[in-house]
Amino acid sequence: MMIGFWPGQNAVGKMLRVRDLTYEVVGVGVDGRIGSLYERPAPALFLPASRMEWGETILIASTRADPASVLKELAKAAGHTGDLRVYQSMTLRTLMRQALYSDWIPTVLGGALAVVGLLLAAGGLYGAVSYTTQRRVPEFGVRLAVGARPKQIAGLVIRQGALICLVGVPGGAGLFLAIYQYYGGALLRNRPLDPAALLAGAALSVAVVLAGALVPAVRAARVDPSEVLRAE
């Protein structure tokens, strides 16, 4: 607000006229959000309570005692003045919980859907790798018969899962960024992306893929080449 009215000047000591009343600027505050945590800072004016003809008075108190007892004492003190009436009182923790409530439900639902998606991905990957591993059992038996080690057989299966990571993780990240370009403003309220969260999601996806390939890899390493050759 100071920049808009007195650009490049010291606003302290200036006179400001509001609704036919003139006020002297005694201080300049920092930019803040008044109505919502996600709104852009807008010009705001703080007036002396004794000269306010409209609006409401907000009292903020800091205490080390029990907040509930302090709220009761403040309500009693306001009632003794005769001019003030307390119609709402709450702690800062409660106020922040109410301000973030609109984000809490989508966050919980999104987290639940993400967990379900990870479980489905892990189950689908395990089924796909298990199926391909079972199809390659004769090949693994021959490899073991000609001198391959169980660790090498397990590595073949794990590399198959790693190949899925190399294709799926960059592809999924690219798809997410493409969607964010169009819908990020509505879904995330123009908040910037968190690189740490993106890296954590990619690392978790890789862990799920490798975990899904681990059991088929161990099973492939335990193939008995003599049984496989007799079956063939």
Side-chain angles (χ1 to χ4, degrees):
M1 184 172 181
M2 177 192 69
I3 297 176
F5 284 95
W6 303 285
Q9 304 180 38
N10 185 5
V12 177
K14 302 289 186 181
M15 306 304 294
L16 182 66
R17 189 172 183 83
V18 180
R19 293 191 178 184
D20 297 329
L21 295 177
T22 302
Y23 300 92
E24 180 183 358
V25 179
V26 297
V28 178
V30 298
D31 292 341
R33 297 172 175 85
I34 299 177
S36 170
L37 292 176
Y38 306 108
E39 69 181 8
R40 294 183 177 180
L45 182 66
F46 296 91
L47 302 175
S50 59
R51 299 188 62 182
M52 286 185 63
E53 298 181 356
W54 74 96
E56 60 186 8
T57 301
I58 300 176
L59 175 64
I60 303 175
S62 175
T63 178
R64 295 181 180 272
D66 179 30
S69 62
V70 174
L71 288 175
K72 292 181 180 179
E73 294 298 327
L74 290 175
K76 290 180 181 179
H80 291 161
T81 63
D83 297 329
L84 299 177
R85 295 183 182 276
V86 179
Y87 71 91
Q88 187 179 27
S89 61
M90 67 181 68
T91 62
L92 183 60
R93 185 183 299 273
T94 302
L95 179 62
M96 291 299 298
R97 188 182 298 116
Q98 291 181 357
L100 296 174
Y101 183 76
S102 60
D103 284 344
W104 181 78
I105 293 180
T107 300
V108 172
L109 292 177
L113 291 175
V115 171
V116 173
L118 280 175
L119 293 177
L120 291 175
L125 178 71
Y126 172 77
V129 175
S130 295
Y131 175 75
T132 56
T133 301
Q134 187 64 33
R135 294 281 303 269
R136 297 179 66 184
V137 166
E139 174 193 344
F140 296 151
V142 173
R143 287 177 179 268
L144 290 170
V146 297
R149 297 180 180 179
K151 291 183 179 180
Q152 294 174 330
I153 300 301
L156 290 174
V157 179
I158 292 179
R159 278 196 293 270
Q160 182 180 356
L163 180 61
I164 297 176
C165 291
L166 292 176
V167 176
V169 172
L175 181 61
F176 169 77
L177 293 176
I179 294 176
Y180 177 79
Q181 294 296 326
Y182 291 96
Y183 302 104
L187 296 177
L188 301 180
R189 299 185 181 182
N190 294 317
R191 283 172 286 183
L193 290 175
D194 186 358
L198 292 177
L199 292 176
L204 183 59
S205 300
V206 172
V208 169
V209 170
L210 295 181
L214 183 61
V215 175
V218 172
R219 188 180 304 164
R222 293 179 179 178
V223 170
D224 188 349
S226 59
E227 293 183 2
V228 172
L229 294 176
R230 279 199 302 267
E232 291 296 323

